[in-house]
Amino acid sequence: MSVHATETAAAGTRTRLNLVRLREMAARDEPITMLTCYEATLARLVDAAGVDVVLVGDSLGNVVQGRSSTLPVDLGHMAYHTECVARGLASSWLIGDLPFGSYEASPQQALESAITLMRAGAQMVKLEGGGPMVETVRFLVDRGIPVCAHLGLTPQRVHALGGFRVQGRDAAGAEALVADARAMAEAGAAMLVLELVPSAVARQVRAAAPGLITIGIGAGPDTHGQVLVLHDMLGWTSGRRPRFVHDFSRDGEHARSVPEAVAAYVAEVKARRFPDPVQHGY
């Protein structure tokens, strides 16, 4: 049997995930696994390894296009990579990032951009930002488009934030994050990525907005799930590795294959061994 056939058979043992099932997982406190992905071959591997949610992130600007930020990524790039990933998935839920400049002008602009990604295969769209985006989220949800919000460090606003810094460290910042999360839940967002925030703040957000499925990246172990950039967790990215990243490509002295590394990530998240609250948290 070929590698592709083996992966397809493995993926075929899982029922296709949908938003109802993801909410059920969150309700029974079953950890949700998420990874980024940008092309079909790796999408098949990620799907077969049991990853629950795949995010076609605008992080492709960094890891695929070699750019220093996500800002140059446009809607055409996102639609193309979403189409590629969608062709490789059999079971995982698929989220597409709305890139910088594709949704901020108006709810109508966001709708048109979201339709583009949904037609490309996304089942949910993700957008960054708090209060100013609440009406946009409501507008999209009212028109049948599932939304994942993104708070904390929002890379599209990295210049306004003063760089890649932990958000919500002081009382005022934490209070603002909790308020924004509650507002997103009230607007109908189904999921929330919390990036680079103290673990204690992530716990507050989860408690204050119980309608949201919280997914952490550098937000500690107490969110409903975890997400990493695929290239980071495979040890493929150069330079200084963020504190919240673990290289799953090695098991001590033993090098893992890509399927083994992704399966290890899934197992560690499901068993609540990753992230470690001290080693990977703030």
Side-chain angles (χ1 to χ4, degrees):
M1 182 181 288
S2 70
V3 172
H4 175 67
T6 302
E7 292 161 2
T8 302
T13 63
R14 283 203 303 165
T15 303
R16 184 90 196 208
L17 278 164
N18 56 40
L19 194 50
V20 171
R21 288 190 60 211
L22 290 168
R23 283 176 167 145
E24 290 172 349
M25 291 170 68
R28 62 175 180 262
D29 205 24
E30 176 184 345
I32 294 168
T33 56
M34 183 190 297
L35 284 175
T36 67
C37 196
Y38 316 99
E39 50 102 347
T41 299
L42 286 172
R44 282 194 293 270
L45 294 175
V46 164
D47 188 277
V51 172
D52 298 314
V53 182
V54 170
L55 169 65
V56 184
D58 60 1
S59 50
L60 69 88
N62 305 112
V63 300
V64 176
Q65 298 176 340
R67 300 181 186 275
S68 61
S69 77
T70 64
L71 300 181
V73 177
D74 64 27
L75 189 62
H77 298 144
M78 292 306 307
Y80 170 77
H81 286 277
T82 299
E83 285 180 351
C84 293
V85 171
R87 295 187 190 107
L89 298 183
S91 305
S92 304
W93 178 256
L94 181 58
I95 303 176
D97 247 342
L98 289 172
F100 179 70
S102 72
Y103 62 94
E104 297 93 336
S106 68
Q108 185 62 40
Q109 182 202 28
L111 176 63
E112 292 168 2
S113 298
I115 287 170
T116 297
L117 293 189
M118 299 288 278
R119 284 176 172 165
Q123 296 162 294
M124 171 181 267
V125 298
K126 183 172 78 65
L127 55 77
E128 296 183 7
M133 291 294 109
V134 169
E135 290 308 312
T136 294
V137 170
R138 183 175 288 111
F139 190 83
L140 294 177
V141 171
D142 286 347
R143 284 152 184 80
I145 296 176
V147 174
C148 175
H150 185 155
L151 297 174
L153 175 68
T154 46
Q156 293 174 13
R157 294 162 175 78
V158 65
H159 298 309
L161 296 174
F164 294 92
R165 304 166 61 186
V166 177
Q167 302 297 305
R169 280 195 182 274
D170 60 17
E175 184 177 337
L177 273 170
V178 171
D180 280 343
R182 190 181 289 115
M184 286 295 175
E186 292 171 354
M191 192 176 289
L192 170 66
V193 169
L194 281 170
E195 182 168 359
L196 216 60
V197 303
S199 301
V201 175
R203 287 194 294 271
Q204 291 176 44
V205 167
R206 178 171 171 173
L212 286 173
I213 302 169
T214 55
I215 306 293
I217 177 167
D222 297 320
T223 51
H224 293 107
Q226 299 294 327
V227 60
L228 286 177
V229 171
L230 181 64
H231 293 57
D232 287 348
M233 58 81 61
L234 291 174
W236 289 353
T237 47
S238 59
R240 182 174 177 270
R241 190 169 67 201
R243 175 174 170 176
F244 57 80
V245 173
H246 179 74
D247 181 357
F248 286 89
S249 69
R250 303 200 65 82
D251 179 13
E253 296 301 313
H254 171 67
R256 290 177 171 135
S257 67
V258 172
E260 288 172 339
V262 177
Y265 167 75
V266 171
E268 292 293 294
V269 172
K270 293 289 186 182
R272 302 185 188 282
R273 291 189 294 265
F274 177 82
D276 179 88
V278 176
Q279 181 179 353
H280 304 115
Y282 298 90

